[in-house]
Amino acid sequence: MNIAVKPQAAVEDVSAVPLAELNPGRAKRFQDDTIWPVFERLRREDPVHLTEESEFGRYWSITRWEDILAVDTNHEDFSSAEGITLINQEALEEQRKALGDRPQRRGAGFITMDEPEHGPQRKAVSPTMAPANIAKMAPIVRERAGQILDSLPIGEPFDWVDKVSKELTAMTLATLFDFPFEDRRKLTYWSDVVTNQPGHGPVTSWEQKFKDMYECFGTFQQLWNERLDAEPGIDLISMLAHNPSTRDMPLEEFQGNVILLIVGGNDTTRNTISGSVFELNRNPAEYDKLRANPDLIPSMVSETIRYQTPLAHMARVAKRDVEVGGKTISAGDRVAMWYISGNRDETRIERPNDYIIDRARPREHLSFGFGVHRCVGNRVAEMQLTIIWEEILKRFPRIEVVGQPTRTFSAFVHGFESLPVVIPARN
Ligand code: HEM
């Protein structure tokens, strides 16, 4: 029997907070799943909103679909080179202290580059994610997904995030990198190390974080050297190692791209897998539709990517004074494009707060971004999510959520830390 899935914390009265003090980036609201009224109010009353003081310093919030599109497609005026998220100033300071004399890392691969540097590096990676290569990868993903699903316990509670979402994502990333399959969970671990502040993820100190990161870089350096000596292959590392635009990239850039590819394809896909199980349970009529018609899987996948919005925002820094939605954003200001809010913009999407798996245009969402940095892995993500659901439906008519999820403490990664489920035994 399903248990009711309710919001975990009492909802604060957002209308009582003075507009000028509203800080939509507060991670606790994302963890408590109480963020929605904040964005509803901003879209209505102050769609281009300035937060003067916060843990991220001074920053702008863009919350409506059209304005987000205007910023995301304007890479002439909005730079990615100063970092693509809101940056917690206290954590930055701690990191600086912990680094001491060691060099400060700038950027996380080509996602934190502007043109003309960005384009050629993106182009070097793109063929791995193109339809022809995806088609080659699909049977391996299907076979490995089947193995993971066949090993799940039946009739007893387990954590869907750990046993399925993380496993399946690690498995597909290992396939993409041609990374040793038995070590695949290292990819999950490293992604968690990168995206979490010490104390909120798998590590408790900066020292530990640096140690783990260097182990990660060392492993990839070794893979790079091996691929360089071999014939060009279709995996990501081989493509980067043999492509003229990337083969001579400096060490720091190489390390940045490793981080980008591990993180880019990790939490995002993982949290979509968890989100789909959670939302199908909250919306049993939608789950019934899916079971009755598995052809709806691709559109259910897209609807989950919209509804979940695995990356809640991307940030930019204005290169010059720019007007957005009637307000002037000054040169040097940081701007958060809240995809999670744009995806619920009622002026653009019909019944945006409802999870509807057979929408007319399910791929119309902001979750992959727009413009020159639009997610290069979007087709890979859709392929793996579709295959996983095809394999799930073949095996399990029902996966039941049997307790409250815990959610990630982050205004960037919008996801689940745990989700208790049971796969009922078939009589
Ligand atoms: C960029 C979301 C899956 C690799 C991005 C961006 C977003 C995003 C929002 C930035 C867009 C912008 O700034 O305009 C997602 C979501 C995913 C997903 C929601 C899954 C549901 C993947 C996968 C990979 C990947 C599977 C591949 C391993 C990348 C890379 C970039 C990127 C390399 C940088 C592109 C560039 O700067 O040109 N993604 N992503 N992503 N993503 Fe994804």
Side-chain angles (χ1 to χ4, degrees), residues 238-253:
S238 180
M239 282 203 169
L240 287 170
H242 288 278
N243 190 295
S245 305
T246 44
R247 70 180 168 214
D248 300 318
M249 67 181 138
L251 183 66
E252 189 177 309
E253 243 172 73

Side-chain angles (χ1 to χ4, degrees), residues 252-321:
E252 189 177 309
E253 243 172 73
F254 167 70
Q255 293 176 345
N257 280 328
V258 165
I259 294 181
L260 168 60
L261 293 165
I262 294 179
V263 175
N266 217 320
D267 301 272
T268 49
T269 317
R270 178 203 305 178
N271 288 318
T272 309
I273 301 174
S274 304
S276 54
V277 168
F278 185 67
E279 294 308 337
L280 288 169
N281 271 264
R282 275 216 293 202
N283 301 276
E286 300 302 301
Y287 208 167
D288 288 345
K289 273 192 217 164
L290 188 71
R291 256 190 307 273
N293 181 7
D295 288 348
L296 286 174
I297 290 174
S299 86
M300 178 279 285
V301 163
S302 290
E303 174 67 348
T304 310
I305 294 173
R306 175 189 76 88
Y307 204 78
Q308 178 66 25
T309 317
L311 298 180
H313 77 270
M314 283 275 157
R316 301 286 189 260
V317 169
K319 292 188 196 171
R320 50 188 78 86
D321 293 0

Side-chain angles (χ1 to χ4, degrees), residues 72-73 80 84 108-113 115 118-119 121-122 125 129 169 172-173 176-177 236 257 260-272 301 305 309-311 313-316 337 339 365-382 384-385 412:
D72 217 353
T73 51
S80 297
I84 41 96
F110 57 90
I111 202 169
T112 49
M113 287 177 189
E115 305 308 331
H118 161 262
Q121 295 216 359
R122 178 180 166 107
V125 173
M129 322 264 193
T169 312
T172 31
L173 265 190
L176 208 62
F177 287 136
L236 268 172
N257 280 328
L260 168 60
L261 293 165
I262 294 179
V263 175
N266 217 320
D267 301 272
T268 49
T269 317
R270 178 203 305 178
N271 288 318
T272 309
V301 163
I305 294 173
T309 317
L311 298 180
H313 77 270
M314 283 275 157
R316 301 286 189 260
M337 300 174 283
Y339 298 142
H365 59 69
L366 295 170
S367 300
F368 290 127
F370 269 92
V372 294
H373 288 280
R374 181 175 164 80
C375 179
V376 74
N378 71 82
R379 295 288 179 181
V380 175
E382 288 170 348
Q384 70 186 91
L385 291 159
F412 179 59

Side-chain angles (χ1 to χ4, degrees), residues 74-125:
N74 181 2
H75 64 272
E76 306 279 323
D77 290 335
F78 291 101
S79 168
S80 297
E82 306 295 321
I84 41 96
T85 64
L86 292 175
I87 298 169
N88 185 302
Q89 298 299 304
E90 214 175 288
L92 188 67
E93 195 43 43
E94 279 175 28
Q95 182 180 345
R96 270 200 201 108
K97 276 193 214 143
L99 268 172
D101 299 337
R102 282 176 283 198
Q104 179 86 24
R105 166 171 308 288
R106 280 181 55 81
F110 57 90
I111 202 169
T112 49
M113 287 177 189
D114 289 334
E115 305 308 331
E117 289 81 19
H118 161 262
Q121 295 216 359
R122 178 180 166 107
K123 246 190 173 154
V125 173

